[in-house]
Amino acid sequence: MRKKKMKKLLNGEETAGEQTEQNELWDHLSLVLPKVPPMSAKVFQLTYVSGFNRKEVAELMGISPSTVKHQLARSLRILRGLLERVKLYT
């Protein structure tokens, strides 16, 4: 469900209220993303901001797709924890 919501938000398919929520989420993400380890942050950005799939991210970064999967899971876990503290992610 989270992936569907993220794709919906990234594809511009949201209502006005959802757009406000998206803007707030991106504002908070920009504040907490520097707290994520650099490699995990890069994988997150390439996947969710730039829209690359795991295989493409692996090729761009010169790492295996399983490393991309691990780093993406790591970044999401850290970001969820940080965003839960500001009660934006439930």
Side-chain angles (χ1 to χ4, degrees), residues 34-51:
K35 297 179 181 180
V36 175
M39 185 176 201
S40 297
K42 180 77 171 174
V43 168
F44 176 86
Q45 290 175 325
L46 288 171
T47 303
Y48 287 107
V49 178
S50 299

Side-chain angles (χ1 to χ4, degrees), residues 17-31:
E18 289 172 330
Q19 179 65 40
T20 300
E21 182 182 321
Q22 178 190 16
N23 290 340
E24 290 175 5
L25 177 60
W26 284 115
D27 289 344
H28 288 286
L29 274 173
S30 67
L31 294 174

Side-chain angles (χ1 to χ4, degrees), residues 50-67:
S50 299
F52 292 106
N53 64 38
R54 289 181 186 160
K55 184 178 178 182
E56 294 168 330
V57 173
E59 290 172 4
L60 285 169
M61 294 183 68
I63 57 178
S64 74
S66 63
T67 300

